[in-house]
Amino acid sequence: MIIREATQADFQFIWPIFREVAEAGDTYAFSTNTDEQLALQIWLDTPRKTFVAVEGSQVVGTYYLKTNHSGPGAHVCNCGYMVAQDYQGKGLATAMCEHSQVIAKELGYKAMQFNFVASTNTGAVRLWHKLGFQTVGQLPKAFEHPSLGYVDALVMYKWL
Amino acid sequence: MIIREATQADFQFIWPIFREVAEAGDTYAFSTNTDEQLALQIWLDTPRKTFVAVEGSQVVGTYYLKTNHSGPGAHVCNCGYMVAQDYQGKGLATAMCEHSQVIAKELGYKAMQFNFVASTNTGAVRLWHKLGFQTVGQLPKAFEHPSLGYVDALVMYKWL
C-alpha cells in the first residue's frame, strides 16, 4: 500500500468512498445527499492537499489536509480520512493519520485539530487517542445521528 | 440603535470596522492583512445572513450568522460580531448577540457555537458566559497572539 498525492483523475475512485461515508451520515458533517460535484469541491479542490492510499491499482482510502483557521489560527491544520468499506480494520486510518502528521510538519503546521468527531464513533475516538490526540472539547448534542438522534461531537487536538 | 440586515452597499461601512479588528490580530482568525475583497467574501457573501447595527446613519457594529457544519451538524449555527472602536463598551455586542439568537431560532437552528475565541479576549469570554454560553472546549496554543505568542483558544456553545 502506498500513499501519494491525489490527482483530479483519482476522484472517480474517491467518489464511491466519499458517497458511502456521507450517505451513512454517522461520522462526517457532510449532507447525506452530497452530490459528486460538491464532494469534489470539499475533498479535492478546497483542501491544501489531498492524498490517496493505493493498493495495486485500487484507491482504498483517502485524506485531505487543510488550514483550520486563517491568521492567528493558521499554524493548526485539519484533516479528514476515509477508508473504503472493504478495507476497514486493516490499519489504513492509522497509516494515513501518521502520514498526514509528517506532511503537516513538512508544511510548517504546529498542531492538528479534528473539529467534529461524533462521540458515537468510538472506533475513531479510540484510534485518535492512541495516535496521541486529546479530546479538548465536547459539543453537546451537536451531531444529529441517523438512528441515535442528537449526540455529542468531540473536538480532538494534537500538538505535533 | 437599530439592527437590520446588511446590504452590499453597507460594506463600505463594514470594511473599516473589519479592517481594524483584523489588523489588531488579537481576537479573530482572520489574517491581519485581509484585503477588502476577501473581507467582503468572508463577512457578507459566505454567511447565511449578515446584519448591521446602525445609529442614525452610521454603521457602528455588524455580525454574520452561518451554518457551522453541514449534514449532521447543520442544526448548529456560528456567528461573529464586530463593534466599531468608538462604540465599544455600550452594550452593542450584547444587543447583537441577543438579536442573533432570535434570528437563529427563527431560521430553525437549535444551538450556536463560537469556534475560536482567544482565551486572552477576557471581555468577550465574560460576556458570552453572561449571555448563557458555556466553554465546551479549550484548544491548547491554537491562537497566535501578536504580543503574547501562542495562547489557548476556546470553543463556546449555547443550546438555544
Side-chain angles (χ1 to χ4, degrees), chain B residues 85-98:
Chain B
Q85 192 68 48
D86 294 347
Y87 288 83
Q88 304 221 336
K90 298 179 196 290
L92 262 169
T94 299
M96 289 195 291
C97 184
E98 286 174 340

Side-chain angles (χ1 to χ4, degrees), chain A residues 89-106:
Chain A
K90 297 179 195 291
L92 261 170
T94 299
M96 288 195 292
C97 184
E98 287 175 340
H99 188 273
S100 69
Q101 292 179 51
V102 173
I103 298 290
K105 282 202 270 195
E106 279 176 15

